[in-house]
PDB file of all heavy atoms in Angstrom:
ATOM      1  N   PHE A   1     -23.584  66.434-141.800  1.00 96.00           N
ATOM      2  CA  PHE A   1     -24.013  66.956-140.274  1.00 96.00           C
ATOM      3  C   PHE A   1     -22.857  67.670-139.618  1.00 96.00           C
ATOM      4  O   PHE A   1     -21.721  67.034-139.524  1.00 96.00           O
ATOM      5  CB  PHE A   1     -24.527  65.856-139.421  1.00 96.00           C
ATOM      6  CG  PHE A   1     -25.546  65.014-140.125  1.00 96.00           C
ATOM      7  CD1 PHE A   1     -25.344  63.758-140.418  1.00 96.00           C
ATOM      8  CD2 PHE A   1     -26.838  65.613-140.450  1.00 96.00           C
ATOM      9  CE1 PHE A   1     -26.301  62.853-140.985  1.00 96.00           C
ATOM     10  CE2 PHE A   1     -27.755  64.795-141.173  1.00 96.00           C
ATOM     11  CZ  PHE A   1     -27.565  63.491-141.397  1.00 96.00           C
ATOM     12  N   ARG A   2     -23.134  68.844-139.200  1.00 93.00           N
ATOM     13  CA  ARG A   2     -21.961  69.600-138.559  1.00 93.00           C
ATOM     14  C   ARG A   2     -21.819  69.149-137.132  1.00 93.00           C
ATOM     15  O   ARG A   2     -20.668  69.287-136.617  1.00 93.00           O
ATOM     16  CB  ARG A   2     -22.338  71.135-138.551  1.00 93.00           C
ATOM     17  CG  ARG A   2     -22.297  71.790-139.934  1.00 93.00           C
ATOM     18  CD  ARG A   2     -20.993  71.542-140.644  1.00 93.00           C
ATOM     19  NE  ARG A   2     -20.868  72.145-141.922  1.00 93.00           N
ATOM     20  CZ  ARG A   2     -20.443  73.281-142.149  1.00 93.00           C
ATOM     21  NH1 ARG A   2     -19.997  74.122-141.231  1.00 93.00           N
ATOM     22  NH2 ARG A   2     -20.368  73.831-143.411  1.00 93.00           N
ATOM     23  N   HIS A   3     -22.800  68.534-136.501  1.00 96.00           N
ATOM     24  CA  HIS A   3     -22.672  68.034-135.116  1.00 96.00           C
ATOM     25  C   HIS A   3     -23.019  66.552-135.167  1.00 96.00           C
ATOM     26  O   HIS A   3     -24.203  66.163-134.959  1.00 96.00           O
ATOM     27  CB  HIS A   3     -23.537  68.772-134.129  1.00 96.00           C
ATOM     28  CG  HIS A   3     -23.087  70.069-133.829  1.00 96.00           C
ATOM     29  ND1 HIS A   3     -23.813  71.068-133.178  1.00 96.00           N
ATOM     30  CD2 HIS A   3     -21.798  70.612-133.835  1.00 96.00           C
ATOM     31  CE1 HIS A   3     -23.141  72.159-133.060  1.00 96.00           C
ATOM     32  NE2 HIS A   3     -21.893  71.881-133.350  1.00 96.00           N
ATOM     33  N   PRO A   4     -22.258  65.679-135.682  1.00 97.00           N
ATOM     34  CA  PRO A   4     -22.652  64.299-135.973  1.00 97.00           C
ATOM     35  C   PRO A   4     -22.577  63.548-134.575  1.00 97.00           C
ATOM     36  O   PRO A   4     -21.549  63.033-134.167  1.00 97.00           O
ATOM     37  CB  PRO A   4     -21.489  63.788-136.843  1.00 97.00           C
ATOM     38  CG  PRO A   4     -20.361  64.606-136.626  1.00 97.00           C
ATOM     39  CD  PRO A   4     -20.952  65.972-136.206  1.00 97.00           C
ATOM     40  N   LEU A   5     -23.777  63.341-134.007  1.00 98.00           N
ATOM     41  CA  LEU A   5     -23.772  62.457-132.844  1.00 98.00           C
ATOM     42  C   LEU A   5     -23.444  61.108-133.325  1.00 98.00           C
ATOM     43  O   LEU A   5     -23.976  60.733-134.306  1.00 98.00           O
ATOM     44  CB  LEU A   5     -25.172  62.641-132.214  1.00 98.00           C
ATOM     45  CG  LEU A   5     -25.597  63.910-131.552  1.00 98.00           C
ATOM     46  CD1 LEU A   5     -27.013  63.966-131.154  1.00 98.00           C
ATOM     47  CD2 LEU A   5     -24.721  64.245-130.456  1.00 98.00           C
ATOM     48  N   PRO A   6     -22.824  60.347-132.539  1.00 98.00           N
ATOM     49  CA  PRO A   6     -22.362  58.990-132.888  1.00 98.00           C
ATOM     50  C   PRO A   6     -23.708  58.008-133.094  1.00 98.00           C
ATOM     51  O   PRO A   6     -24.647  58.049-132.274  1.00 98.00           O
ATOM     52  CB  PRO A   6     -21.451  58.525-131.778  1.00 98.00           C
ATOM     53  CG  PRO A   6     -21.806  59.396-130.661  1.00 98.00           C
ATOM     54  CD  PRO A   6     -22.291  60.705-131.122  1.00 98.00           C
ATOM     55  N   THR A   7     -23.528  57.206-134.049  1.00 98.00           N
ATOM     56  CA  THR A   7     -24.543  56.227-134.322  1.00 98.00           C
ATOM     57  C   THR A   7     -23.962  54.825-134.575  1.00 98.00           C
ATOM     58  O   THR A   7     -22.776  54.624-134.365  1.00 98.00           O
ATOM     59  CB  THR A   7     -25.258  56.589-135.700  1.00 98.00           C
ATOM     60  OG1 THR A   7     -24.393  56.352-136.759  1.00 98.00           O
ATOM     61  CG2 THR A   7     -25.731  58.002-135.722  1.00 98.00           C
ATOM     62  N   ALA A   8     -24.902  53.887-134.798  1.00 98.00           N
ATOM     63  CA  ALA A   8     -24.342  52.505-134.981  1.00 98.00           C
ATOM     64  C   ALA A   8     -23.819  52.335-136.373  1.00 98.00           C
ATOM     65  O   ALA A   8     -23.419  51.164-136.766  1.00 98.00           O
ATOM     66  CB  ALA A   8     -25.496  51.571-134.840  1.00 98.00           C
ATOM     67  N   LYS A   9     -23.686  53.361-137.122  1.00 98.00           N
ATOM     68  CA  LYS A   9     -23.105  53.271-138.495  1.00 98.00           C
ATOM     69  C   LYS A   9     -21.631  52.763-138.421  1.00 98.00           C
ATOM     70  O   LYS A   9     -20.810  53.131-137.621  1.00 98.00           O
ATOM     71  CB  LYS A   9     -23.063  54.596-139.177  1.00 98.00           C
ATOM     72  CG  LYS A   9     -22.507  54.538-140.616  1.00 98.00           C
ATOM     73  CD  LYS A   9     -22.174  55.928-141.225  1.00 98.00           C
ATOM     74  CE  LYS A   9     -21.327  55.877-142.503  1.00 98.00           C
ATOM     75  NZ  LYS A   9     -20.096  55.139-142.336  1.00 98.00           N
ATOM     76  N   VAL A  10     -21.333  51.763-139.289  1.00 98.00           N
ATOM     77  CA  VAL A  10     -19.940  51.227-139.482  1.00 98.00           C
ATOM     78  C   VAL A  10     -19.004  52.243-140.053  1.00 98.00           C
ATOM     79  O   VAL A  10     -19.373  52.731-141.173  1.00 98.00           O
ATOM     80  CB  VAL A  10     -20.024  49.912-140.160  1.00 98.00           C
ATOM     81  CG1 VAL A  10     -18.563  49.372-140.485  1.00 98.00           C
ATOM     82  CG2 VAL A  10     -20.830  48.854-139.372  1.00 98.00           C
ATOM     83  N   ILE A  11     -17.872  52.414-139.508  1.00 98.00           N
ATOM     84  CA  ILE A  11     -16.858  53.238-140.234  1.00 98.00           C
ATOM     85  C   ILE A  11     -16.218  52.548-141.417  1.00 98.00           C
ATOM     86  O   ILE A  11     -15.776  51.309-141.136  1.00 98.00           O
ATOM     87  CB  ILE A  11     -15.726  53.604-139.139  1.00 98.00           C
ATOM     88  CG1 ILE A  11     -16.364  54.445-137.893  1.00 98.00           C
ATOM     89  CG2 ILE A  11     -14.702  54.412-139.823  1.00 98.00           C
ATOM     90  CD1 ILE A  11     -15.574  54.642-136.822  1.00 98.00           C
ATOM     91  N   GLU A  12     -16.144  53.155-142.515  1.00 98.00           N
ATOM     92  CA  GLU A  12     -15.598  52.446-143.676  1.00 98.00           C
ATOM     93  C   GLU A  12     -14.185  52.951-144.048  1.00 98.00           C
ATOM     94  O   GLU A  12     -13.244  52.289-143.899  1.00 98.00           O
ATOM     95  CB  GLU A  12     -16.537  52.612-144.883  1.00 98.00           C
ATOM     96  CG  GLU A  12     -17.845  52.054-144.648  1.00 98.00           C
ATOM     97  CD  GLU A  12     -18.978  52.328-145.745  1.00 98.00           C
ATOM     98  OE1 GLU A  12     -18.328  52.745-146.771  1.00 98.00           O
ATOM     99  OE2 GLU A  12     -20.122  52.349-145.439  1.00 98.00           O
ATOM    100  N   ARG A  13     -14.176  54.279-144.357  1.00 98.00           N
ATOM    101  CA  ARG A  13     -12.861  54.887-144.788  1.00 98.00           C
ATOM    102  C   ARG A  13     -12.329  56.020-143.884  1.00 98.00           C
ATOM    103  O   ARG A  13     -11.217  56.185-143.670  1.00 98.00           O
ATOM    104  CB  ARG A  13     -12.983  55.401-146.203  1.00 98.00           C
ATOM    105  CG  ARG A  13     -12.867  54.306-147.201  1.00 98.00           C
ATOM    106  CD  ARG A  13     -11.385  53.776-147.335  1.00 98.00           C
ATOM    107  NE  ARG A  13     -11.205  52.873-148.463  1.00 98.00           N
ATOM    108  CZ  ARG A  13     -10.172  52.249-148.857  1.00 98.00           C
ATOM    109  NH1 ARG A  13      -9.138  52.455-147.959  1.00 98.00           N
ATOM    110  NH2 ARG A  13      -9.949  51.499-149.835  1.00 98.00           N
ATOM    111  N   GLN A  14     -13.331  56.766-143.392  1.00 98.00           N
ATOM    112  CA  GLN A  14     -12.957  57.997-142.797  1.00 98.00           C
ATOM    113  C   GLN A  14     -13.751  58.369-141.561  1.00 98.00           C
ATOM    114  O   GLN A  14     -14.933  57.944-141.389  1.00 98.00           O
ATOM    115  CB  GLN A  14     -13.298  59.162-143.767  1.00 98.00           C
ATOM    116  CG  GLN A  14     -12.767  60.589-143.191  1.00 98.00           C
ATOM    117  CD  GLN A  14     -13.134  61.679-144.176  1.00 98.00           C
ATOM    118  OE1 GLN A  14     -13.680  61.425-145.286  1.00 98.00           O
ATOM    119  NE2 GLN A  14     -13.018  62.905-143.788  1.00 98.00           N
ATOM    120  N   ALA A  15     -13.230  58.987-140.507  1.00 98.00           N
ATOM    121  CA  ALA A  15     -13.881  59.266-139.229  1.00 98.00           C
ATOM    122  C   ALA A  15     -13.322  60.555-138.792  1.00 98.00           C
ATOM    123  O   ALA A  15     -12.123  60.900-138.816  1.00 98.00           O
ATOM    124  CB  ALA A  15     -13.783  58.231-138.200  1.00 98.00           C
ATOM    125  N   MET A  16     -14.264  61.351-138.238  1.00 98.00           N
ATOM    126  CA  MET A  16     -13.862  62.624-137.566  1.00 98.00           C
ATOM    127  C   MET A  16     -14.379  62.581-136.155  1.00 98.00           C
ATOM    128  O   MET A  16     -15.501  62.266-135.891  1.00 98.00           O
ATOM    129  CB  MET A  16     -14.485  63.877-138.224  1.00 98.00           C
ATOM    130  CG  MET A  16     -14.119  65.224-137.601  1.00 98.00           C
ATOM    131  SD  MET A  16     -14.910  66.685-138.468  1.00 98.00           S
ATOM    132  CE  MET A  16     -16.517  66.516-137.860  1.00 98.00           C
ATOM    133  N   LEU A  17     -13.456  62.729-135.158  1.00 98.00           N
ATOM    134  CA  LEU A  17     -13.841  62.690-133.742  1.00 98.00           C
ATOM    135  C   LEU A  17     -13.708  64.133-133.172  1.00 98.00           C
ATOM    136  O   LEU A  17     -12.703  64.846-133.399  1.00 98.00           O
ATOM    137  CB  LEU A  17     -12.919  61.795-133.087  1.00 98.00           C
ATOM    138  CG  LEU A  17     -13.287  60.179-133.095  1.00 98.00           C
ATOM    139  CD1 LEU A  17     -13.237  59.731-134.578  1.00 98.00           C
ATOM    140  CD2 LEU A  17     -12.286  59.424-132.231  1.00 98.00           C
ATOM    141  N   VAL A  18     -14.644  64.478-132.338  1.00 98.00           N
ATOM    142  CA  VAL A  18     -14.619  65.652-131.655  1.00 98.00           C
ATOM    143  C   VAL A  18     -14.755  65.426-130.178  1.00 98.00           C
ATOM    144  O   VAL A  18     -15.667  64.641-129.701  1.00 98.00           O
ATOM    145  CB  VAL A  18     -15.785  66.583-132.105  1.00 98.00           C
ATOM    146  CG1 VAL A  18     -15.786  67.952-131.393  1.00 98.00           C
ATOM    147  CG2 VAL A  18     -15.806  66.826-133.567  1.00 98.00           C
ATOM    148  N   LEU A  19     -13.986  66.093-129.357  1.00 98.00           N
ATOM    149  CA  LEU A  19     -13.975  65.834-127.883  1.00 98.00           C
ATOM    150  C   LEU A  19     -13.930  67.197-127.104  1.00 98.00           C
ATOM    151  O   LEU A  19     -13.116  68.059-127.441  1.00 98.00           O
ATOM    152  CB  LEU A  19     -12.733  64.947-127.453  1.00 98.00           C
ATOM    153  CG  LEU A  19     -12.546  64.907-125.975  1.00 98.00           C
ATOM    154  CD1 LEU A  19     -13.693  64.040-125.374  1.00 98.00           C
ATOM    155  CD2 LEU A  19     -11.225  64.064-125.631  1.00 98.00           C
ATOM    156  N   CYS A  20     -14.768  67.366-126.177  1.00 98.00           N
ATOM    157  CA  CYS A  20     -14.632  68.280-125.063  1.00 98.00           C
ATOM    158  C   CYS A  20     -14.462  67.567-123.786  1.00 98.00           C
ATOM    159  O   CYS A  20     -15.346  66.705-123.384  1.00 98.00           O
ATOM    160  CB  CYS A  20     -15.805  69.225-125.017  1.00 98.00           C
ATOM    161  SG  CYS A  20     -16.011  70.455-126.402  1.00 98.00           S
ATOM    162  N   LEU A  21     -13.374  67.850-123.117  1.00 98.00           N
ATOM    163  CA  LEU A  21     -13.022  67.113-121.940  1.00 98.00           C
ATOM    164  C   LEU A  21     -12.912  68.025-120.723  1.00 98.00           C
ATOM    165  O   LEU A  21     -12.172  69.137-120.807  1.00 98.00           O
ATOM    166  CB  LEU A  21     -11.656  66.360-122.073  1.00 98.00           C
ATOM    167  CG  LEU A  21     -11.203  65.521-120.889  1.00 98.00           C
ATOM    168  CD1 LEU A  21     -10.418  64.358-121.253  1.00 98.00           C
ATOM    169  CD2 LEU A  21     -10.345  66.385-119.931  1.00 98.00           C
ATOM    170  N   ARG A  22     -13.832  67.746-119.737  1.00 98.00           N
ATOM    171  CA  ARG A  22     -13.743  68.580-118.518  1.00 98.00           C
ATOM    172  C   ARG A  22     -12.933  67.994-117.440  1.00 98.00           C
ATOM    173  O   ARG A  22     -12.984  66.770-117.035  1.00 98.00           O
ATOM    174  CB  ARG A  22     -15.130  68.716-117.932  1.00 98.00           C
ATOM    175  CG  ARG A  22     -15.174  69.725-116.723  1.00 98.00           C
ATOM    176  CD  ARG A  22     -16.593  70.102-116.197  1.00 98.00           C
ATOM    177  NE  ARG A  22     -17.385  68.902-116.018  1.00 98.00           N
ATOM    178  CZ  ARG A  22     -18.736  68.892-116.016  1.00 98.00           C
ATOM    179  NH1 ARG A  22     -19.408  70.068-116.423  1.00 98.00           N
ATOM    180  NH2 ARG A  22     -19.400  67.848-115.820  1.00 98.00           N
ATOM    181  N   PHE A  23     -11.845  68.741-117.019  1.00 98.00           N
ATOM    182  CA  PHE A  23     -10.941  68.284-115.911  1.00 98.00           C
ATOM    183  C   PHE A  23     -10.852  69.467-114.919  1.00 98.00           C
ATOM    184  O   PHE A  23     -10.490  70.528-115.173  1.00 98.00           O
ATOM    185  CB  PHE A  23      -9.524  68.055-116.531  1.00 98.00           C
ATOM    186  CG  PHE A  23      -8.508  67.656-115.595  1.00 98.00           C
ATOM    187  CD1 PHE A  23      -8.376  66.407-114.907  1.00 98.00           C
ATOM    188  CD2 PHE A  23      -7.512  68.615-115.199  1.00 98.00           C
ATOM    189  CE1 PHE A  23      -7.489  66.146-114.142  1.00 98.00           C
ATOM    190  CE2 PHE A  23      -6.529  68.311-114.235  1.00 98.00           C
ATOM    191  CZ  PHE A  23      -6.572  66.904-113.742  1.00 98.00           C
ATOM    192  N   GLN A  24     -11.235  69.068-113.637  1.00 98.00           N
ATOM    193  CA  GLN A  24     -11.279  69.934-112.569  1.00 98.00           C
ATOM    194  C   GLN A  24     -11.944  71.289-112.976  1.00 98.00           C
ATOM    195  O   GLN A  24     -11.515  72.334-112.688  1.00 98.00           O
ATOM    196  CB  GLN A  24      -9.848  70.192-112.064  1.00 98.00           C
ATOM    197  CG  GLN A  24      -9.266  68.884-111.621  1.00 98.00           C
ATOM    198  CD  GLN A  24      -7.809  69.175-110.965  1.00 98.00           C
ATOM    199  OE1 GLN A  24      -7.202  70.169-110.880  1.00 98.00           O
ATOM    200  NE2 GLN A  24      -7.262  68.068-110.351  1.00 98.00           N
ATOM    201  N   GLY A  25     -13.011  71.104-113.562  1.00 98.00           N
ATOM    202  CA  GLY A  25     -13.913  72.241-113.923  1.00 98.00           C
ATOM    203  C   GLY A  25     -13.683  72.877-115.240  1.00 98.00           C
ATOM    204  O   GLY A  25     -14.608  73.395-115.894  1.00 98.00           O
ATOM    205  N   LEU A  26     -12.478  72.763-115.836  1.00 98.00           N
ATOM    206  CA  LEU A  26     -12.105  73.557-117.015  1.00 98.00           C
ATOM    207  C   LEU A  26     -12.240  72.528-118.182  1.00 98.00           C
ATOM    208  O   LEU A  26     -11.877  71.413-118.103  1.00 98.00           O
ATOM    209  CB  LEU A  26     -10.715  74.053-116.918  1.00 98.00           C
ATOM    210  CG  LEU A  26     -10.573  75.279-115.863  1.00 98.00           C
ATOM    211  CD1 LEU A  26      -9.143  75.378-115.434  1.00 98.00           C
ATOM    212  CD2 LEU A  26     -11.036  76.563-116.500  1.00 98.00           C
ATOM    213  N   VAL A  27     -12.722  73.065-119.289  1.00 98.00           N
ATOM    214  CA  VAL A  27     -12.945  72.274-120.533  1.00 98.00           C
ATOM    215  C   VAL A  27     -11.892  72.607-121.612  1.00 98.00           C
ATOM    216  O   VAL A  27     -11.504  73.744-121.858  1.00 98.00           O
ATOM    217  CB  VAL A  27     -14.374  72.619-121.039  1.00 98.00           C
ATOM    218  CG1 VAL A  27     -14.702  71.783-122.341  1.00 98.00           C
ATOM    219  CG2 VAL A  27     -15.392  72.326-120.067  1.00 98.00           C
ATOM    220  N   SER A  28     -11.413  71.488-122.262  1.00 98.00           N
ATOM    221  CA  SER A  28     -10.677  71.490-123.373  1.00 98.00           C
ATOM    222  C   SER A  28     -11.362  70.900-124.551  1.00 98.00           C
ATOM    223  O   SER A  28     -12.030  69.931-124.337  1.00 98.00           O
ATOM    224  CB  SER A  28      -9.193  70.816-123.176  1.00 98.00           C
ATOM    225  OG  SER A  28      -8.534  71.407-122.130  1.00 98.00           O
ATOM    226  N   ALA A  29     -11.012  71.398-125.775  1.00 98.00           N
ATOM    227  CA  ALA A  29     -11.754  70.863-126.927  1.00 98.00           C
ATOM    228  C   ALA A  29     -10.738  70.658-128.086  1.00 98.00           C
ATOM    229  O   ALA A  29      -9.816  71.506-128.293  1.00 98.00           O
ATOM    230  CB  ALA A  29     -12.827  71.904-127.457  1.00 98.00           C
ATOM    231  N   LEU A  30     -11.068  69.685-128.965  1.00 98.00           N
ATOM    232  CA  LEU A  30     -10.139  69.462-130.092  1.00 98.00           C
ATOM    233  C   LEU A  30     -10.897  68.504-131.023  1.00 98.00           C
ATOM    234  O   LEU A  30     -11.723  67.748-130.585  1.00 98.00           O
ATOM    235  CB  LEU A  30      -8.856  68.790-129.817  1.00 98.00           C
ATOM    236  CG  LEU A  30      -8.745  67.325-129.292  1.00 98.00           C
ATOM    237  CD1 LEU A  30      -7.275  66.777-129.460  1.00 98.00           C
ATOM    238  CD2 LEU A  30      -9.207  67.206-127.966  1.00 98.00           C
ATOM    239  N   THR A  31     -10.562  68.549-132.384  1.00 98.00           N
ATOM    240  CA  THR A  31     -11.122  67.789-133.363  1.00 98.00           C
ATOM    241  C   THR A  31      -9.961  67.112-134.169  1.00 98.00           C
ATOM    242  O   THR A  31      -9.040  67.708-134.453  1.00 98.00           O
ATOM    243  CB  THR A  31     -11.959  68.624-134.347  1.00 98.00           C
ATOM    244  OG1 THR A  31     -13.140  69.075-133.624  1.00 98.00           O
ATOM    245  CG2 THR A  31     -12.512  67.743-135.490  1.00 98.00           C
ATOM    246  N   ARG A  32     -10.127  65.842-134.557  1.00 98.00           N
ATOM    247  CA  ARG A  32      -9.078  65.156-135.394  1.00 98.00           C
ATOM    248  C   ARG A  32      -9.789  64.287-136.380  1.00 98.00           C
ATOM    249  O   ARG A  32     -11.043  63.756-136.053  1.00 98.00           O
ATOM    250  CB  ARG A  32      -8.189  64.403-134.590  1.00 98.00           C
ATOM    251  CG  ARG A  32      -7.217  65.200-133.739  1.00 98.00           C
ATOM    252  CD  ARG A  32      -6.352  66.172-134.443  1.00 98.00           C
ATOM    253  NE  ARG A  32      -5.272  66.745-133.613  1.00 98.00           N
ATOM    254  CZ  ARG A  32      -5.534  67.920-133.067  1.00 98.00           C
ATOM    255  NH1 ARG A  32      -6.698  68.573-133.282  1.00 98.00           N
ATOM    256  NH2 ARG A  32      -4.565  68.525-132.331  1.00 98.00           N
ATOM    257  N   THR A  33      -9.217  64.118-137.563  1.00 98.00           N
ATOM    258  CA  THR A  33      -9.774  63.324-138.657  1.00 98.00           C
ATOM    259  C   THR A  33      -8.757  62.126-138.987  1.00 98.00           C
ATOM    260  O   THR A  33      -7.476  62.392-139.182  1.00 98.00           O
ATOM    261  CB  THR A  33     -10.053  64.035-139.921  1.00 98.00           C
ATOM    262  OG1 THR A  33     -11.061  65.047-139.526  1.00 98.00           O
ATOM    263  CG2 THR A  33     -10.620  63.274-141.068  1.00 98.00           C
ATOM    264  N   VAL A  34      -9.295  60.879-139.142  1.00 98.00           N
ATOM    265  CA  VAL A  34      -8.465  59.910-139.630  1.00 98.00           C
ATOM    266  C   VAL A  34      -9.102  59.176-140.857  1.00 98.00           C
ATOM    267  O   VAL A  34     -10.302  59.211-141.138  1.00 98.00           O
ATOM    268  CB  VAL A  34      -8.434  58.716-138.541  1.00 98.00           C
ATOM    269  CG1 VAL A  34      -9.804  58.144-138.175  1.00 98.00           C
ATOM    270  CG2 VAL A  34      -7.452  57.540-138.966  1.00 98.00           C
ATOM    271  N   TYR A  35      -8.139  58.692-141.844  1.00 98.00           N
ATOM    272  CA  TYR A  35      -8.575  58.090-143.074  1.00 98.00           C
ATOM    273  C   TYR A  35      -7.780  56.859-143.199  1.00 98.00           C
ATOM    274  O   TYR A  35      -6.657  56.820-143.132  1.00 98.00           O
ATOM    275  CB  TYR A  35      -8.199  59.071-144.312  1.00 98.00           C
ATOM    276  CG  TYR A  35      -9.020  58.643-145.398  1.00 98.00           C
ATOM    277  CD1 TYR A  35     -10.224  59.227-145.893  1.00 98.00           C
ATOM    278  CD2 TYR A  35      -8.464  57.704-146.386  1.00 98.00           C
ATOM    279  CE1 TYR A  35     -10.951  58.843-147.025  1.00 98.00           C
ATOM    280  CE2 TYR A  35      -9.155  57.272-147.512  1.00 98.00           C
ATOM    281  CZ  TYR A  35     -10.391  57.973-147.852  1.00 98.00           C
ATOM    282  OH  TYR A  35     -11.021  57.558-148.883  1.00 98.00           O
TER     283      TYR A  35
END
């Protein structure tokens, strides 16, 4: 899935997290992967 909405699935080995954060109106975006 290109847009993986979070589910109750248990993380086993790998996770990719995507964040858009709005601060004082302006949005910043980033993606990171952990193994």
Side-chain angles (χ1 to χ4, degrees):
F1 307 115
R2 292 304 178 96
H3 287 161
L5 293 174
T7 70
K9 179 191 173 303
V10 170
I11 299 169
E12 300 172 22
R13 281 289 190 180
Q14 181 187 355
M16 182 180 74
L17 276 62
V18 181
L19 173 65
C20 288
L21 181 145
R22 181 167 60 201
F23 176 74
Q24 297 184 357
L26 290 157
V27 180
S28 301
L30 73 162
T31 296
R32 294 295 186 269
T33 297
V34 59
Y35 195 93

